[in-house]
Amino acid sequence: LSDTPSTYVGQALKSVRVKNDETGVEFVLEDKTEAIIVPISDLVTNLSTGITKAFFTLPYSFTLSAVKANLLVTQTAGTAITFDIYKNGTSILSTKITIDNSETSSLTASVPPVISTTLLEADSIITIGVTIGTAGAKGGVVTLIGEKS
């Protein structure tokens, strides 16, 4: 192979793949990002508040890098709908996830969420709550983004 490197310095833990133009190989870091998508309601019933709308346990340790929420049907009035995520009963967010009125995604929220606890250990009990709002909102989903630790 004519494109075999003379040294592997700086290539630790990288994978080898064929270049897009198929002219040789290259070293790449694999994206290990995962998304844990948690539905917190059905698609037709109005959301209601409560701190245990959904729960799951983690099969492995997970380092959280982002969180977001989405709605199928928006809330049109009232205080912005607010979601919280708890690890073993304690909130992991110092600023909760909000979805502004008439929006379907927290990505457009006027105030973004802030994660205060990023390490979620294996077997942690994760619960999702709706803490404020819900006027007419339907089809709630919360997404945790990160990678195995």
Side-chain angles (χ1 to χ4, degrees), residues 65-141:
S65 58
V67 294
K68 68 178 196 149
N70 293 87
L71 296 169
L72 179 63
V73 176
T74 68
Q75 147 176 311
T76 56
T79 305
I81 190 164
T82 304
F83 303 87
D84 202 353
I85 302 170
Y86 305 89
K87 177 181 88 170
N88 300 324
T90 302
S91 178
I92 65 168
L93 303 174
S94 57
T95 301
K96 311 308 180 220
I97 305 167
T98 59
I99 298 178
D100 296 333
N101 290 337
S102 301
E103 299 285 336
T104 58
S105 173
S106 64
L107 295 179
T108 57
S110 56
V111 178
V114 176
I115 302 166
S116 55
T117 302
T118 58
L119 180 60
L120 307 177
E121 296 85 2
D123 219 26
S124 293
I125 297 171
I126 306 300
T127 54
I128 312 289
V130 179
T131 58
I132 300 173
T134 66
K138 298 177 182 168
V141 175

Side-chain angles (χ1 to χ4, degrees), residues 21 56 60 62 129:
D21 63 5
F56 63 96
Y60 44 78
F62 192 76

